[in-house]
């Protein structure tokens, strides 16, 4: 353990040997050696510089709604950017809207509500996507043919040495479910360019999207959202899995949702191992049936030493 080493540069709260299940929407995962909660960019910068010095690996986490953590847990420090680093403010007012600065730990739902209340349109598509603003930027989260990059103007990032810079979205390499940055780069803040609109009209669009989500996706059950990326052409991952007859198929307590075939759900007490086995079963059956190899959208954490084959899967760019 690195208890003594970390005390030289970190005096905030540390959860030692804490279960990651409480920090992911899948509700699975073994312990992280340590979990910490920086409250701002200075604390975060000192932390990652210090960890670098004592050679301890770290992993960034938002709300854990797109990660699957190994049953064996995670080596090193899990850094959670949460509510303490979640300010929202108008950075610049325009005749037709505003540029809004949002810190990475802000909940995406809280941001959508805030924009509706302030009569600023553009993020309605994100209603119902769980997670933090940082996670949404990194995953380029999207729904209903819109994604984060469509409304993001600038992103403040921090590199592995704790230095910050501001990047224009158009100069970054956003693509389907990725922001295109290298592993180890942290999203600190997003600047969203939003348009003025009537708050009630914005709320109406949010309600509409929320209803569609309720109709089409499982709710009140633990999952990581869509498990696989949609192939770049042809049928969606959900259609391919459905056509392979896999809805309702289980490994232990992990099940392909009968509501939406691209959701693997934890019906209660599933292990990460069961979810991975089900993932592999789905990949093999879909490949056999349609010739398409489905790549996971869900990011794996702590899996590399357990299953070397997973190194190539869902690797963090
Ligand atoms: C029920 C359900 C529905 C969902 N629906 C959708 C949907 O419609 N569309 C969609 O796109 N996604 C959807 N998702 C997936 C997920 O909610 C999104 O990908 C979300 O944006 C992830 O945010 P997070 O804070 O939970 O990220 P996490 O799961 O905590 O992290 C995801 C990845 O981003 C990295 N990361 C997180 N924050 C940062 C940061 N600040 N800097 C650098 N790296 C970071 C992590 O290391 C990890 O690799 C859904 C998930 C669930 C459970």
């Amino acid at each position: 353990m690195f208890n003594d080493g970390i005390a030289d540069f970190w005096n905030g709260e540390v959860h030692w040997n804490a279960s990651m299940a409480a920090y992911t929407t899948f509700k699975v995962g073994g312990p992280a050696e340590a979990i910490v909660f920086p409250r701002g960019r200075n604390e975060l910068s000192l932390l990652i510089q210090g960890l670098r010095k004592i050679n301890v690996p770290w992993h960034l986490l938002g709300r854990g709604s797109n990660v699957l953590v190994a049953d064996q847990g995670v080596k090193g420090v899990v850094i959670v950017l949460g509510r303490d680093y979640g300010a929202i403010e108008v950075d610049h007012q325009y005749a037709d809207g505003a540029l809004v600065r949002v810190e990475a730990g802000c909940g995406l739902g809280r941001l959508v509500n805030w924009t509706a209340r302030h009569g600023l349109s553009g993020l309605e598509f994100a209603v119902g996507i769980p997670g933090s603003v940082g996670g949404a930027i990194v995953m380029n989260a999207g729904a209903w043919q819109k994604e984060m990059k469509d409304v993001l103007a600038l992103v403040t990032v921090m590199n592995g040495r704790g230095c910050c810079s501001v990047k224009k979205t158009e100069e970054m390499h956003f693509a389907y479910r990725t922001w295109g940055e290298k592993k180890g780069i942290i999203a600190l803040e997003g600047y969203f360019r939003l348009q003025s609109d009537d708050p009630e009209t914005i709320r109406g669009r949010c309600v509409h999207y929320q209803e569609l989500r309720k109709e089409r996706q499982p709710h009140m059950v633990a999952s990581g959202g869509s498990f696989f990326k949609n192939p770049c052409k042809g049928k969606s991952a959900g259609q391919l899995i459905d056509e392979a007859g896999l809805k309702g198929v289980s490994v232990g307590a992990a099940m392909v949702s009968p509501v939406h075939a691209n959701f693997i759900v934890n019906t209660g007490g599933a292990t990460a191992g069961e979810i991975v086995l089900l993932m592999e079963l789905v990949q093999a059956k879909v490949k056999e049936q349609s010739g398409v190899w489905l790549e996971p959208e869900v990011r794996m954490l702590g899996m590399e030493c357990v299953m070397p084959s997973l190194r190539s899967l869902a690797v963090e760019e």
Side-chain angles (χ1 to χ4, degrees):
M1 276 289 205
F2 40 83
N3 310 36
D4 292 341
I6 199 173
D8 290 342
F9 52 84
W10 179 256
N11 57 15
E13 200 183 345
V14 183
H15 293 188
W16 293 104
N17 206 27
S19 167
M20 287 292 294
Y23 294 92
T24 70
T25 55
F26 257 126
K27 304 283 174 227
V28 305
E33 284 187 276
I35 307 183
V36 296
F37 311 86
R39 287 161 303 182
R41 68 163 80 178
N42 292 339
E43 272 190 19
L44 179 62
S45 174
L46 289 174
L47 176 66
I48 60 174
Q49 288 177 62
L51 291 173
R52 188 183 162 89
K53 261 193 207 132
I54 61 171
N55 213 13
V56 170
W58 54 268
H59 316 271
L60 223 293
L61 198 72
R63 299 290 193 278
S65 64
N66 208 47
V67 290
L68 179 60
V69 179
D71 298 316
Q72 287 72 8
V74 185
K75 290 256 171 284
V77 176
V78 171
I79 301 172
V80 179
L81 287 187
R83 289 167 190 84
D84 289 339
Y85 185 54
I88 310 174
E89 65 176 20
V90 172
D91 181 78
H92 195 89
Q93 198 80 51
Y94 295 97
D96 65 346
L99 185 68
V100 175
R101 185 188 75 90
V102 191
E103 291 172 348
C106 176
L108 191 55
R110 187 179 142 230
L111 174 61
V112 175
N113 285 336
W114 186 96
T115 57
R117 231 181 19 255
H118 288 78
L120 290 168
S121 169
L123 278 164
E124 295 89 318
F125 74 90
V127 74
I129 302 180
S132 64
V133 166
I137 293 171
V138 169
M139 293 305 302
N140 190 20
W144 322 116
Q145 282 79 52
K146 283 205 130 200
E147 48 193 15
M148 297 309 282
K149 78 157 180 16
D150 300 334
V151 274
L152 258 181
L154 305 164
V155 184
T156 309
V157 299
M158 181 181 281
N159 67 19
R161 292 173 188 276
C163 302
C164 300
S165 58
V166 179
K167 293 190 168 192
K168 287 186 184 163
T169 308
E170 72 228 30
E171 289 165 5
M172 296 171 74
H173 301 283
F174 277 87
Y176 175 59
R177 297 300 170 265
T178 177
W179 70 331
E181 293 290 312
K182 290 200 182 90
K183 186 175 179 195
I185 304 293
I186 300 172
L188 287 183
E189 332 171 290
Y191 288 78
F192 295 87
R193 179 68 169 95
L194 302 170
Q195 305 296 320
S196 300
D197 201 349
D198 168 47
E200 278 316 304
T201 311
I202 297 173
R203 274 196 200 100
R205 282 195 287 267
C206 290
V207 169
H208 170 67
Y209 286 137
Q210 194 65 281
E211 279 167 1
L212 287 181
R213 208 169 259 279
K214 273 198 189 137
E215 271 167 32
R216 298 179 191 185
Q217 294 181 0
H219 53 106
M220 307 299 280
V221 58
S223 80
S226 292
F227 198 95
F228 297 99
K229 291 181 184 171
N230 286 321
C232 44
K233 56 182 185 332
K235 295 178 177 166
S236 70
Q239 276 174 298
L240 293 169
I241 299 167
D242 195 1
E243 286 174 14
L246 293 167
K247 268 187 173 172
V249 166
S250 304
V251 172
M255 181 168 73
V256 175
S257 167
V259 181
H260 190 311
N262 198 16
F263 276 59
I264 291 183
V265 296
N266 174 3
T267 60
T271 62
E274 288 169 350
I275 293 171
V276 168
L277 281 178
L278 185 55
M279 169 190 87
E280 291 178 339
L281 186 148
V282 169
Q283 286 173 316
K285 288 272 182 209
V286 168
K287 176 78 182 162
E288 188 185 301
Q289 179 90 13
S290 62
V292 177
W293 183 255
L294 294 176
E295 296 290 345
E297 176 181 322
V298 167
R299 305 275 182 106
M300 311 287 167
L301 190 51
M303 297 278 182
E304 297 81 358
C305 50
V306 189
M307 301 185 65
S309 64
L310 285 174
R311 281 197 193 115
S312 60
L313 296 180
V315 283
E316 300 188 1
E317 287 81 353

